[in-house]
Amino acid sequence: MEGVRIFCPATIANISCGFDVLGVALDSVGDEMTLRKTDTPGIRITKIIGQEIPLETEQNVAGVAALALLGECDFSGGIEIEIEKKIKPGSGIGSSAASAAGAAFGLNLLLGNPFNRHQLVRFAMQGEKLASGVAHADNVAPALLGGFTLVRSYDPLDVIKLNTPEQLYATIIHPQIEVKTADSRKILKTGISLKDGIRQWGNVGGLIAGLYTEDYDLISRSLEDHIVEPIRSMLIPGYDDLKGAAVKAGALGVGISGSGPSVFALSKGSAKAREVADAFRSAYSVVGVPFEIHVSKINQEGIKVLEQW
Amino acid sequence: MEGVRIFCPATIANISCGFDVLGVALDSVGDEMTLRKTDTPGIRITKIIGQEIPLETEQNVAGVAALALLGECDFSGGIEIEIEKKIKPGSGIGSSAASAAGAAFGLNLLLGNPFNRHQLVRFAMQGEKLASGVAHADNVAPALLGGFTLVRSYDPLDVIKLNTPEQLYATIIHPQIEVKTADSRKILKTGISLKDGIRQWGNVGGLIAGLYTEDYDLISRSLEDHIVEPIRSMLIPGYDDLKGAAVKAGALGVGISGSGPSVFALSKGSAKAREVADAFRSAYSVVGVPFEIHVSKINQEGIKVLEQW
């Protein structure tokens, strides 16, 4: 194989009760990347469409992820990477993760698949480290594996792909304000009450049981977060109104995507997800902050090959 | 139906990472109860074999659970209850829960099943309230429903029966020392670090995913508790030796049953569970505290009817 064009999905991390452990991949929101072999050794980012992002390999999340993988392979040739960014950096739906995961996935494919998708997570995490200072896996894992993923542990790294019911759809609203990941992490308390902890892991248990039994009611009841949402939602103007409107429209649950500012809702069925989009739109039109809305089925497979040659 | 004899299983609550939310029922350890209709109105505990426990209805966990159920039914007759206690009170494997759940279950059966097993949980919880001051559900839920159960929430009460792999066995060692539930709760910190909380709900997620996919390896990796075990294990002489020996013998995981002093191990297959029993026995023989050991398959159905007339 000489080249490949892939779709790299946007992702929602910090799914309500699953702060830092649960993420999910989207189907109709994502970047496109093209990777091709060249005769000039090394990794080069040749083009980025849609965003102002550094082209230098070591300063680019895709470059860093590719270098991490290459460091464990025997390959003396060269790779060119083009990225068409459709996910806005800073939106909270895994923009850097899509690029990092895509680079690891595409390079792996060109090298004849020395690694499986699970094994690619740790290379993609190196891109996340460049982007946010922390080698977190909660966006790159769903980007690579698809569906809902659980990062059970970092030491050792243990990522589990969970069952994902077919009728799950996400509605995402991206208020065009800047919330820095570092800031939104800083405002979290380093301690929580045991009582809130118990509620949180009860809900994580309920959510995962609901995903396996495809019990949308249980999923809905479990989409609660008593720890992070009350704090981080203060950084998102109109959050309570958004949540109230989506719940009223019949969403299964609502939460902050990643570290914000995007807000997600999960719904059963595409019609309901579109109604929730309407509810988001009505509720946010009065806030005075520009916004974008996406509706997407949950992506079951993760990164997809669009073309290869 | 005039009378019923039932088996009321012992249960393990606080399964490792699932503090306060996850419990499981045993198959070959439990009490027997007989309930029969009489002409004298009201609930009477007529006999308790094997333990010194109050016979007064309002002072007995079975009596209190039965009264709670009766309060929501039209029944003007009388019920006599006999209890053959085989689970030692204070052992940490749900002695009071077995009696409370058994009373609710047996009475419900005699009344023609006005409630389903899920609905009986809240009556049985009233018995737990008498026993420990807290109307907790983490033992009565598995006693009634069988298998692994999750108490997702108390307000509103939301109990979920989880999938339970067929090859799961428990080995339990009961050191004959007294650990009062109230004391073992008092030594817990009321606050935990967010970091430990995240590890805990990551493990709860992994454990529940492992139960549904019947992935014994994942179950094993997830049977961790960084919050309660480090503190409560100090109340159990020789805990670390027990745990080390069981893990070395091939147990999937080891933890404190309920609030102790019993220690449980989960294993794949009965042969392994018996090897773990041997390991417990060898490790504890040098501690100098008398002990009992049980090996049991996980009970899939909860309370069982032995006889009815």
Side-chain angles (χ1 to χ4, degrees):
Chain A
M1 198 184 305
E2 291 304 305
V4 63
R5 196 161 65 85
I6 54 178
F7 169 78
C8 308
T11 46
I12 305 169
N14 298 337
I15 301 282
S16 298
C17 49
F19 177 69
D20 255 14
V21 303
L22 284 175
V24 73
L26 301 182
D27 208 41
S28 58
V29 189
D31 295 345
E32 283 184 25
M33 290 175 76
T34 304
L35 292 92
R36 61 174 74 85
K37 288 182 184 163
T38 66
D39 295 332
T40 320
I43 305 284
R44 284 181 307 137
I45 317 289
T46 50
K47 200 195 283 183
I48 298 174
I49 303 167
Q51 292 294 327
E52 299 285 317
I53 292 172
L55 283 172
E56 296 77 17
T57 306
E58 286 83 3
Q59 297 303 315
N60 182 291
V61 296
V64 168
L67 286 173
L69 191 156
L70 213 58
E72 298 194 14
C73 292
D74 262 343
F75 176 71
S76 53
I79 300 285
E80 279 183 3
I81 303 177
E82 287 178 23
I83 310 174
E84 187 172 353
K85 290 301 294 178
K86 295 181 180 174
I87 312 168
K88 291 192 180 160
S91 56
I93 52 170
S95 178
S96 57
S99 299
F105 179 90
L107 176 56
N108 187 56
L109 205 60
L110 291 182
L111 299 184
N113 285 319
F115 301 101
N116 65 31
R117 286 183 184 237
H118 265 88
Q119 292 169 322
L120 295 176
V121 170
R122 83 193 149 87
F123 302 122
M125 284 167 66
Q126 295 310 309
E128 289 292 64
K129 193 173 176 185
L130 176 71
S132 70
V134 182
H136 68 100
D138 35 354
N139 288 101
V140 295
L144 282 162
L145 304 173
F148 274 85
T149 58
L150 171 77
V151 183
R152 187 195 63 81
S153 155
Y154 277 96
D155 185 22
L157 183 64
D158 192 3
V159 172
I160 296 129
K161 178 170 178 172
L162 306 169
N163 187 64
T164 304
E166 269 298 329
Q167 284 300 304
L168 272 186
Y169 283 74
T171 309
I172 288 153
I173 178 164
H174 173 207
Q176 316 270 301
I177 54 167
E178 193 183 3
V179 174
K180 286 194 176 148
T181 304
D183 290 346
S184 70
R185 192 159 264 279
K186 234 179 277 168
I187 63 165
L188 293 181
K189 296 171 187 155
T190 56
I192 62 175
S193 72
L194 177 59
K195 201 179 146 206
D196 281 344
I198 292 165
R199 286 167 88 182
Q200 197 89 342
W201 61 71
N203 279 315
V204 167
L207 178 51
I208 291 181
L211 291 174
Y212 278 99
T213 55
E214 313 216 341
D215 178 340
Y216 293 89
D217 240 35
L218 175 54
I219 292 170
S220 179
R221 299 199 300 277
S222 306
L223 284 170
E224 284 189 343
D225 169 13
H226 299 285
I227 293 175
V228 175
E229 182 190 65
I231 299 173
R232 284 198 170 163
S233 60
M234 293 186 291
L235 299 178
I236 302 168
Y239 180 81
D240 291 344
D241 295 337
L242 280 175
K243 182 165 181 168
V247 168
K248 199 173 163 201
L252 299 171
V254 181
I256 300 166
S257 180
S259 54
S262 284
V263 174
F264 74 90
L266 293 177
S267 299
K268 182 179 181 184
S270 62
K272 184 59 73 183
R274 286 193 301 271
E275 287 173 41
V276 170
D278 291 340
F280 271 168
R281 198 172 288 114
S282 305
Y284 223 65
S285 296
V286 297
V287 173
V289 174
F291 60 90
E292 273 184 2
I293 289 180
H294 307 285
V295 176
S296 172
K297 197 172 190 323
I298 299 305
N299 170 342
Q300 296 274 1
E301 314 100 82
I303 294 174
K304 292 176 206 181
V305 175
L306 301 174
E307 205 182 336
Q308 58 188 54
W309 57 92
Chain B
M1 197 184 304
E2 292 304 306
V4 64
R5 197 162 64 85
I6 55 178
F7 169 79
C8 308
T11 45
I12 306 169
N14 298 337
I15 302 281
S16 299
C17 49
F19 178 70
D20 254 14
V21 304
L22 283 175
V24 74
L26 302 181
D27 206 41
S28 58
V29 190
D31 296 343
E32 284 183 25
M33 292 174 75
T34 303
L35 292 92
R36 62 174 73 86
K37 288 183 185 164
T38 66
D39 294 333
T40 319
I43 306 284
R44 283 180 310 137
I45 317 288
T46 51
K47 201 196 283 186
I48 298 174
I49 303 166
Q51 293 294 327
E52 298 285 317
I53 292 173
L55 284 171
E56 296 76 17
T57 305
E58 286 83 2
Q59 297 304 315
N60 181 291
V61 296
V64 168
L67 287 173
L69 191 156
L70 213 58
E72 299 194 14
C73 292
D74 262 342
F75 176 70
S76 52
I79 300 286
E80 279 183 2
I81 303 177
E82 287 177 22
I83 309 174
E84 188 174 352
K85 289 300 296 178
K86 296 180 179 175
I87 312 169
K88 292 192 178 160
S91 55
I93 51 170
S95 178
S96 58
S99 300
F105 180 90
L107 177 56
N108 188 57
L109 205 60
L110 292 181
L111 299 184
N113 285 318
F115 301 101
N116 65 31
R117 286 184 184 236
H118 265 88
Q119 291 169 322
L120 295 176
V121 171
R122 82 193 149 88
F123 302 123
M125 284 166 65
Q126 295 309 310
E128 290 291 65
K129 192 173 176 185
L130 176 71
S132 70
V134 183
H136 68 100
D138 35 354
N139 289 102
V140 295
L144 282 163
L145 304 173
F148 275 85
T149 58
L150 171 78
V151 184
R152 187 195 64 79
S153 155
Y154 278 96
D155 186 20
L157 183 64
D158 192 4
V159 173
I160 296 130
K161 178 170 177 170
L162 305 169
N163 187 65
T164 303
E166 269 298 330
Q167 285 299 305
L168 272 187
Y169 282 76
T171 310
I172 288 153
I173 179 163
H174 173 206
Q176 315 271 301
I177 54 168
E178 194 184 0
V179 173
K180 285 194 177 150
T181 304
D183 289 346
S184 70
R185 192 158 265 278
K186 235 179 275 169
I187 64 166
L188 293 181
K189 296 171 187 155
T190 55
I192 62 175
S193 72
L194 177 58
K195 201 178 146 206
D196 281 345
I198 292 165
R199 285 168 88 183
Q200 197 89 341
W201 61 70
N203 279 315
V204 168
L207 178 52
I208 291 181
L211 291 174
Y212 278 99
T213 55
E214 311 215 341
D215 178 340
Y216 292 88
D217 241 33
L218 175 55
I219 291 170
S220 179
R221 299 199 300 278
S222 307
L223 284 170
E224 285 188 343
D225 169 13
H226 298 285
I227 292 175
V228 175
E229 182 190 65
I231 298 173
R232 283 197 171 165
S233 60
M234 293 186 292
L235 299 178
I236 302 168
Y239 180 80
D240 291 343
D241 295 337
L242 280 175
K243 183 165 180 169
V247 168
K248 200 173 160 200
L252 298 171
V254 181
I256 300 165
S257 179
S259 54
S262 285
V263 174
F264 75 90
L266 293 177
S267 300
K268 183 179 180 185
S270 63
K272 185 58 74 185
R274 285 192 302 270
E275 287 173 42
V276 170
D278 291 339
F280 271 168
R281 198 172 290 114
S282 304
Y284 223 64
S285 297
V286 299
V287 173
V289 173
F291 59 89
E292 273 183 2
I293 289 180
H294 306 286
V295 176
S296 173
K297 197 174 191 320
I298 299 305
N299 169 342
Q300 296 275 0
E301 314 100 82
I303 294 174
K304 293 175 204 178
V305 176
L306 301 174
E307 206 182 334
Q308 59 188 55
W309 58 90

